[in-house]
CSV table of all heavy atoms in Angstrom, one decimal:
chain,number,residue,atom,x,y,z
A,2,LEU,N,-20.5,-9.1,7.7
A,2,LEU,CA,-20.9,-10.5,7.4
A,2,LEU,C,-21.4,-10.6,6.0
A,2,LEU,O,-22.3,-9.8,5.6
A,2,LEU,CB,-21.9,-11.0,8.5
A,2,LEU,CG,-22.5,-12.4,8.2
A,2,LEU,CD1,-21.4,-13.4,8.3
A,2,LEU,CD2,-23.6,-12.6,9.2
A,3,VAL,N,-20.9,-11.5,5.3
A,3,VAL,CA,-21.4,-11.7,3.9
A,3,VAL,C,-21.4,-13.2,3.6
A,3,VAL,O,-20.6,-14.0,4.2
A,3,VAL,CB,-20.5,-11.0,2.9
A,3,VAL,CG1,-19.0,-11.5,2.9
A,3,VAL,CG2,-21.0,-10.9,1.5
A,4,GLN,N,-22.3,-13.6,2.7
A,4,GLN,CA,-22.3,-15.0,2.3
A,4,GLN,C,-21.2,-15.3,1.3
A,4,GLN,O,-20.8,-14.4,0.5
A,4,GLN,CB,-23.7,-15.3,1.7
A,4,GLN,CG,-24.8,-15.4,2.7
A,4,GLN,CD,-26.1,-15.9,2.0
A,4,GLN,OE1,-26.4,-15.7,0.9
A,4,GLN,NE2,-26.9,-16.6,2.9
A,5,ALA,N,-20.8,-16.6,1.2
A,5,ALA,CA,-19.9,-17.0,0.2
A,5,ALA,C,-20.3,-16.6,-1.2
A,5,ALA,O,-21.5,-16.7,-1.5
A,5,ALA,CB,-19.6,-18.5,0.3
A,6,GLY,N,-19.4,-16.1,-1.9
A,6,GLY,CA,-19.7,-15.6,-3.3
A,6,GLY,C,-20.0,-14.1,-3.3
A,6,GLY,O,-20.0,-13.5,-4.4
A,7,GLY,N,-20.2,-13.5,-2.2
A,7,GLY,CA,-20.5,-12.1,-2.1
A,7,GLY,C,-19.3,-11.2,-2.2
A,7,GLY,O,-18.2,-11.7,-2.4
A,8,SER,N,-19.6,-9.9,-2.0
A,8,SER,CA,-18.5,-8.9,-2.1
A,8,SER,C,-18.6,-7.9,-0.9
A,8,SER,O,-19.6,-7.7,-0.3
A,8,SER,CB,-18.7,-8.1,-3.4
A,8,SER,OG,-18.6,-8.9,-4.5
A,9,LEU,N,-17.4,-7.4,-0.6
A,9,LEU,CA,-17.3,-6.3,0.4
A,9,LEU,C,-16.2,-5.4,-0.1
A,9,LEU,O,-15.3,-5.8,-0.9
A,9,LEU,CB,-16.9,-6.8,1.7
A,9,LEU,CG,-17.9,-7.5,2.6
A,9,LEU,CD1,-17.3,-8.0,3.9
A,9,LEU,CD2,-19.1,-6.5,3.0
A,10,ARG,N,-16.3,-4.1,0.3
A,10,ARG,CA,-15.3,-3.1,0.0
A,10,ARG,C,-14.8,-2.5,1.3
A,10,ARG,O,-15.6,-1.9,2.0
A,10,ARG,CB,-15.9,-2.0,-1.0
A,10,ARG,CG,-14.8,-1.0,-1.4
A,10,ARG,CD,-15.4,0.0,-2.4
A,10,ARG,NE,-14.5,0.9,-2.9
A,10,ARG,CZ,-13.6,0.7,-3.9
A,10,ARG,NH1,-13.7,-0.4,-4.6
A,10,ARG,NH2,-12.8,1.6,-4.3
A,11,LEU,N,-13.6,-2.7,1.5
A,11,LEU,CA,-12.9,-2.1,2.7
A,11,LEU,C,-12.3,-0.8,2.3
A,11,LEU,O,-11.8,-0.6,1.2
A,11,LEU,CB,-11.9,-3.0,3.3
A,11,LEU,CG,-12.3,-4.5,3.6
A,11,LEU,CD1,-11.1,-5.2,4.2
A,11,LEU,CD2,-13.5,-4.5,4.5
A,12,SER,N,-12.3,0.1,3.3
A,12,SER,CA,-11.6,1.4,3.1
A,12,SER,C,-10.7,1.7,4.3
A,12,SER,O,-10.9,1.2,5.4
A,12,SER,CB,-12.6,2.6,3.0
A,12,SER,OG,-13.4,2.5,1.8
A,13,CYS,N,-9.7,2.4,4.0
A,13,CYS,CA,-8.7,2.8,5.0
A,13,CYS,C,-8.5,4.3,4.9
A,13,CYS,O,-8.0,4.8,3.9
A,13,CYS,CB,-7.4,2.1,4.9
A,13,CYS,SG,-6.1,2.6,6.0
A,14,ALA,N,-8.9,5.1,5.9
A,14,ALA,CA,-8.8,6.5,5.9
A,14,ALA,C,-7.6,6.9,6.7
A,14,ALA,O,-7.4,6.4,7.9
A,14,ALA,CB,-10.0,7.2,6.4
A,15,ALA,N,-6.7,7.8,6.2
A,15,ALA,CA,-5.5,8.1,6.9
A,15,ALA,C,-5.5,9.6,7.3
A,15,ALA,O,-6.0,10.5,6.7
A,15,ALA,CB,-4.3,7.9,6.0
A,16,SER,N,-4.9,9.8,8.5
A,16,SER,CA,-4.6,11.2,8.9
A,16,SER,C,-3.2,11.2,9.4
A,16,SER,O,-2.6,10.2,9.9
A,16,SER,CB,-5.6,11.6,10.0
A,16,SER,OG,-5.5,10.7,11.1
A,17,GLY,N,-2.5,12.4,9.2
A,17,GLY,CA,-1.1,12.5,9.7
A,17,GLY,C,-0.1,11.9,8.8
A,17,GLY,O,1.1,11.9,9.1
A,18,ILE,N,-0.5,11.4,7.6
A,18,ILE,CA,0.4,10.8,6.7
A,18,ILE,C,-0.3,11.0,5.3
A,18,ILE,O,-1.5,10.9,5.1
A,18,ILE,CB,0.6,9.3,7.0
A,18,ILE,CG1,1.7,8.8,6.0
A,18,ILE,CG2,-0.7,8.6,6.9
A,18,ILE,CD1,2.0,7.3,6.3
A,19,ILE,N,0.6,11.3,4.3
A,19,ILE,CA,0.1,11.4,2.9
A,19,ILE,C,0.3,10.0,2.2
A,19,ILE,O,1.4,9.6,2.0
A,19,ILE,CB,0.9,12.5,2.2
A,19,ILE,CG1,0.7,13.8,2.9
A,19,ILE,CG2,0.4,12.6,0.7
A,19,ILE,CD1,1.5,15.0,2.3
A,20,LEU,N,-0.8,9.4,2.0
A,20,LEU,CA,-0.7,8.0,1.5
A,20,LEU,C,0.0,7.9,0.1
A,20,LEU,O,0.6,6.8,-0.2
A,20,LEU,CB,-2.1,7.4,1.5
A,20,LEU,CG,-2.8,7.2,2.8
A,20,LEU,CD1,-4.1,6.4,2.7
A,20,LEU,CD2,-1.9,6.6,3.9
A,21,SER,N,-0.1,8.9,-0.7
A,21,SER,CA,0.5,8.8,-2.0
A,21,SER,C,2.0,8.7,-1.9
A,21,SER,O,2.7,8.3,-2.8
A,21,SER,CB,0.1,10.0,-2.9
A,21,SER,OG,0.5,11.2,-2.2
A,22,ASN,N,2.6,9.1,-0.8
A,22,ASN,CA,4.0,9.0,-0.6
A,22,ASN,C,4.4,7.8,0.2
A,22,ASN,O,5.6,7.6,0.5
A,22,ASN,CB,4.5,10.3,0.2
A,22,ASN,CG,4.3,11.6,-0.5
A,22,ASN,OD1,4.2,11.6,-1.7
A,22,ASN,ND2,4.1,12.6,0.2
A,23,ALA,N,3.5,6.9,0.5
A,23,ALA,CA,3.8,5.8,1.3
A,23,ALA,C,3.6,4.5,0.6
A,23,ALA,O,2.8,4.4,-0.4
A,23,ALA,CB,2.9,5.8,2.6
A,24,LEU,N,4.3,3.5,1.0
A,24,LEU,CA,4.0,2.1,0.6
A,24,LEU,C,2.8,1.7,1.4
A,24,LEU,O,2.8,1.8,2.6
A,24,LEU,CB,5.2,1.2,0.9
A,24,LEU,CG,5.0,-0.3,0.7
A,24,LEU,CD1,5.0,-0.6,-0.8
A,24,LEU,CD2,6.1,-1.1,1.4
A,25,MET,N,1.8,1.2,0.7
A,25,MET,CA,0.5,0.8,1.4
A,25,MET,C,0.2,-0.7,1.2
A,25,MET,O,0.5,-1.3,0.2
A,25,MET,CB,-0.6,1.6,0.8
A,25,MET,CG,-0.5,3.1,1.0
A,25,MET,SD,-0.5,3.6,2.7
A,25,MET,CE,-2.0,2.9,3.3
A,26,GLY,N,-0.5,-1.2,2.2
A,26,GLY,CA,-0.8,-2.6,2.1
A,26,GLY,C,-2.0,-3.0,2.9
A,26,GLY,O,-2.5,-2.2,3.8
A,27,TRP,N,-2.6,-4.1,2.6
A,27,TRP,CA,-3.6,-4.8,3.3
A,27,TRP,C,-3.1,-6.1,3.8
A,27,TRP,O,-2.6,-6.9,3.0
A,27,TRP,CB,-4.9,-5.0,2.5
A,27,TRP,CG,-5.6,-3.7,2.2
A,27,TRP,CD1,-5.6,-2.9,1.1
A,27,TRP,CD2,-6.6,-3.1,3.0
A,27,TRP,NE1,-6.4,-1.9,1.1
A,27,TRP,CE2,-7.1,-1.9,2.3
A,27,TRP,CE3,-7.2,-3.4,4.3
A,27,TRP,CZ2,-8.1,-1.1,2.9
A,27,TRP,CZ3,-8.1,-2.5,4.8
A,27,TRP,CH2,-8.6,-1.4,4.1
A,28,TYR,N,-3.4,-6.4,5.1
A,28,TYR,CA,-3.0,-7.7,5.7
A,28,TYR,C,-4.3,-8.3,6.3
A,28,TYR,O,-5.2,-7.6,6.6
A,28,TYR,CB,-1.9,-7.5,6.7
A,28,TYR,CG,-0.5,-7.2,6.2
A,28,TYR,CD1,-0.2,-6.0,5.7
A,28,TYR,CD2,0.4,-8.3,6.2
A,28,TYR,CE1,1.1,-5.8,5.1
A,28,TYR,CE2,1.7,-8.0,5.7
A,28,TYR,CZ,2.0,-6.8,5.2
A,28,TYR,OH,3.3,-6.6,4.7
A,29,ARG,N,-4.2,-9.5,6.6
A,29,ARG,CA,-5.3,-10.1,7.4
A,29,ARG,C,-4.7,-11.1,8.4
A,29,ARG,O,-3.6,-11.7,8.2
A,29,ARG,CB,-6.3,-10.8,6.4
A,29,ARG,CG,-5.8,-12.1,5.8
A,29,ARG,CD,-6.8,-12.6,4.7
A,29,ARG,NE,-6.5,-13.9,4.2
A,29,ARG,CZ,-7.2,-14.5,3.2
A,29,ARG,NH1,-8.2,-13.9,2.7
A,29,ARG,NH2,-6.8,-15.7,2.8
A,30,GLN,N,-5.5,-11.4,9.4
A,30,GLN,CA,-5.1,-12.3,10.4
A,30,GLN,C,-6.3,-13.0,11.0
A,30,GLN,O,-7.4,-12.4,11.3
A,30,GLN,CB,-4.4,-11.6,11.5
A,30,GLN,CG,-3.7,-12.5,12.6
A,30,GLN,CD,-2.7,-11.7,13.5
A,30,GLN,OE1,-2.8,-10.5,13.6
A,30,GLN,NE2,-1.8,-12.4,14.1
A,31,THR,N,-6.2,-14.3,11.3
A,31,THR,CA,-7.2,-15.1,12.0
A,31,THR,C,-6.6,-15.6,13.3
A,31,THR,O,-5.3,-15.7,13.4
A,31,THR,CB,-7.7,-16.3,11.1
A,31,THR,OG1,-6.5,-17.0,10.7
A,31,THR,CG2,-8.4,-15.8,9.9
A,32,PRO,N,-7.4,-15.9,14.3
A,32,PRO,CA,-6.9,-16.3,15.6
A,32,PRO,C,-6.0,-17.5,15.4
A,32,PRO,O,-6.3,-18.5,14.7
A,32,PRO,CB,-8.1,-16.6,16.4
A,32,PRO,CG,-9.2,-15.8,15.8
A,32,PRO,CD,-8.9,-15.7,14.3
A,33,GLY,N,-4.8,-17.5,16.1
A,33,GLY,CA,-3.9,-18.6,16.1
A,33,GLY,C,-3.0,-18.7,14.8
A,33,GLY,O,-2.2,-19.6,14.7
A,34,LYS,N,-3.2,-17.7,13.9
A,34,LYS,CA,-2.4,-17.7,12.7
A,34,LYS,C,-1.6,-16.4,12.6
A,34,LYS,O,-2.0,-15.4,13.1
A,34,LYS,CB,-3.2,-17.9,11.5
A,34,LYS,CG,-3.9,-19.3,11.3
A,34,LYS,CD,-4.7,-19.4,10.1
A,34,LYS,CE,-3.8,-19.4,8.8
A,34,LYS,NZ,-4.6,-19.6,7.6
A,35,GLN,N,-0.5,-16.5,11.8
A,35,GLN,CA,0.3,-15.3,11.6
A,35,GLN,C,-0.4,-14.4,10.6
A,35,GLN,O,-1.2,-14.8,9.8
A,35,GLN,CB,1.7,-15.7,11.0
A,35,GLN,CG,2.7,-16.2,12.0
A,35,GLN,CD,4.1,-16.2,11.4
A,35,GLN,OE1,4.2,-16.5,10.2
A,35,GLN,NE2,5.1,-16.0,12.3
A,36,ARG,N,-0.2,-13.1,10.8
A,36,ARG,CA,-0.7,-12.1,9.9
A,36,ARG,C,-0.1,-12.4,8.5
A,36,ARG,O,1.1,-12.7,8.3
A,36,ARG,CB,-0.4,-10.7,10.4
A,36,ARG,CG,-0.9,-9.6,9.5
A,36,ARG,CD,-0.9,-8.3,10.3
A,36,ARG,NE,0.4,-8.0,10.9
A,36,ARG,CZ,0.7,-7.1,11.8
A,36,ARG,NH1,-0.3,-6.4,12.3
A,36,ARG,NH2,1.9,-6.9,12.3
A,37,GLU,N,-1.0,-12.3,7.5
A,37,GLU,CA,-0.5,-12.6,6.1
A,37,GLU,C,-0.9,-11.4,5.2
A,37,GLU,O,-1.9,-10.7,5.3
A,37,GLU,CB,-1.1,-13.9,5.6
A,37,GLU,CG,-2.6,-13.9,5.6
A,37,GLU,CD,-3.1,-15.3,5.2
A,37,GLU,OE1,-2.3,-16.2,4.8
A,37,GLU,OE2,-4.4,-15.5,5.1
A,38,LEU,N,0.0,-11.2,4.2
A,38,LEU,CA,-0.1,-10.1,3.3
A,38,LEU,C,-1.2,-10.4,2.3
A,38,LEU,O,-1.3,-11.6,1.8
A,38,LEU,CB,1.2,-9.9,2.5
A,38,LEU,CG,1.2,-8.9,1.4
A,38,LEU,CD1,0.9,-7.5,2.0
A,38,LEU,CD2,2.4,-8.9,0.6
A,39,VAL,N,-2.1,-9.5,2.0
A,39,VAL,CA,-3.1,-9.6,1.0
A,39,VAL,C,-2.8,-8.9,-0.2
A,39,VAL,O,-2.8,-9.4,-1.3
A,39,VAL,CB,-4.5,-9.1,1.6
A,39,VAL,CG1,-5.6,-9.1,0.5
A,39,VAL,CG2,-4.9,-9.9,2.8
A,40,ALA,N,-2.4,-7.6,-0.1
A,40,ALA,CA,-2.0,-6.8,-1.2
A,40,ALA,C,-1.0,-5.7,-0.8
A,40,ALA,O,-1.2,-5.2,0.3
A,40,ALA,CB,-3.3,-6.1,-1.8
A,41,LEU,N,-0.1,-5.4,-1.7
A,41,LEU,CA,0.9,-4.4,-1.3
A,41,LEU,C,1.0,-3.4,-2.5
A,41,LEU,O,1.3,-3.8,-3.7
A,41,LEU,CB,2.3,-5.0,-1.1
A,41,LEU,CG,3.3,-4.2,-0.4
A,41,LEU,CD1,2.9,-3.8,1.0
A,41,LEU,CD2,4.6,-5.0,-0.3
A,42,MET,N,0.8,-2.1,-2.2
A,42,MET,CA,0.7,-1.1,-3.3
A,42,MET,C,2.0,-0.2,-3.2
A,42,MET,O,2.2,0.5,-2.2
A,42,MET,CB,-0.5,-0.3,-3.1
A,42,MET,CG,-1.8,-1.0,-3.3
A,42,MET,SD,-3.3,0.0,-3.0
A,42,MET,CE,-3.3,-0.1,-1.2
A,43,SER,N,2.8,-0.3,-4.2
A,43,SER,CA,4.0,0.5,-4.2
A,43,SER,C,3.7,2.0,-4.6
A,43,SER,O,2.6,2.3,-5.1
A,43,SER,CB,5.0,-0.1,-5.3
A,43,SER,OG,5.3,-1.4,-4.9
A,44,ARG,N,4.7,2.8,-4.3
A,44,ARG,CA,4.5,4.2,-4.6
A,44,ARG,C,4.4,4.5,-6.1
A,44,ARG,O,3.8,5.5,-6.6
A,44,ARG,CB,5.7,5.0,-4.1
A,44,ARG,CG,5.8,5.0,-2.6
A,44,ARG,CD,7.0,5.7,-2.1
A,44,ARG,NE,7.2,5.7,-0.7
A,44,ARG,CZ,7.8,4.7,0.0
A,44,ARG,NH1,8.3,3.6,-0.7
A,44,ARG,NH2,8.0,4.7,1.3
A,45,ASP,N,5.0,3.5,-6.9
A,45,ASP,CA,5.0,3.7,-8.4
A,45,ASP,C,3.6,3.3,-9.0
A,45,ASP,O,3.5,3.4,-10.2
A,45,ASP,CB,6.1,3.0,-9.1
A,45,ASP,CG,6.0,1.5,-8.9
A,45,ASP,OD1,5.0,1.0,-8.3
A,45,ASP,OD2,7.0,0.8,-9.3
A,46,GLY,N,2.7,2.8,-8.2
A,46,GLY,CA,1.4,2.5,-8.7
A,46,GLY,C,1.2,1.0,-8.9
A,46,GLY,O,0.0,0.6,-9.2
A,47,SER,N,2.2,0.2,-8.8
A,47,SER,CA,2.1,-1.2,-9.0
A,47,SER,C,1.6,-1.9,-7.7
A,47,SER,O,1.7,-1.3,-6.6
A,47,SER,CB,3.4,-1.8,-9.4
A,47,SER,OG,4.4,-1.7,-8.3
């Protein structure tokens, strides 16, 4: 929980997969809405 204007840092720890070899992303979802893409990280670093 954070106030408007504040900051948070999310982390995702992986096991069983080497993330540097994978396409990675962050998505979000609220009740009653479709999941939406937040950020997508390609293998080339973009």
Side-chain angles (χ1 to χ4, degrees):
L2 174 64
V3 64
Q4 288 189 328
S8 299
L9 282 175
R10 185 176 180 86
L11 306 183
S12 293
C13 173
S16 58
I18 184 174
I19 300 174
L20 296 187
S21 60
N22 295 335
L24 175 70
M25 298 299 303
W27 286 97
Y28 284 76
R29 71 186 189 185
Q30 189 169 22
T31 54
K34 293 182 66 176
Q35 281 193 327
R36 183 163 49 197
E37 56 185 0
L38 175 67
V39 175
L41 197 62
M42 295 175 280
S43 299
R44 296 176 184 84
D45 64 4
S47 63

